[in-house]
Amino acid sequence: MSSGTSSSPLFVRRAAHIVQEIASPADAIDFLNEWPEDRRDRIYQAALRACFDAYNGRKPASAARKTFFRFAKQVVILEDATSMQWLAACMSDSGKAQV
């Protein structure tokens, strides 16, 4: 995850059968802003702060990625990218899914 896009995005489970790619601090901020208010704890606050800091250039994107990774792992929404090999098979050289 970088201020733009990343060569190593994170994948998180948004709902039972919906997985979302988090490739930048902006993606993470959008995801975190939709997180249920009653589940916003300290690790959530740390992840949101780190992502805003990276987005605004005050922290490296790697710090935001690491903090968001910890958040996703703690709340058990992190998806293993290696188990999503079907996605790689569908991608063209441009990074767009082939239909």
Side-chain angles (χ1 to χ4, degrees):
M1 182 178 355
S2 67
S3 58
T5 57
S6 174
S7 60
S8 60
L10 297 173
F11 294 92
V12 292
R13 192 175 340 98
R14 185 173 198 72
H17 300 289
I18 300 173
V19 174
Q20 181 174 342
E21 178 182 17
I22 306 296
S24 69
D27 290 346
I29 291 166
D30 289 344
F31 181 87
L32 291 166
N33 280 334
E34 294 179 17
W35 192 249
E37 287 188 31
D38 62 331
R39 296 187 66 197
R40 296 180 180 187
D41 57 6
R42 279 190 253 165
I43 189 74
Y44 164 87
Q45 294 296 334
L48 185 62
R49 190 173 326 112
C51 291
F52 269 117
D53 286 347
Y55 182 79
N56 292 321
R58 290 188 297 263
K59 275 191 177 181
S62 60
R65 185 184 191 285
K66 182 185 277 188
T67 306
F68 185 84
F69 175 88
R70 277 186 260 161
F71 161 78
K73 192 169 183 167
Q74 179 177 328
V75 297
V76 195
I77 59 169
L78 189 63
E79 288 291 321
D80 182 12
T82 59
S83 68
M84 297 175 46
Q85 292 177 353
W86 58 269
L87 181 63
C90 295
M91 301 299 279
S92 68
D93 290 335
S94 67
K96 303 282 184 198
Q98 297 178 5
V99 210

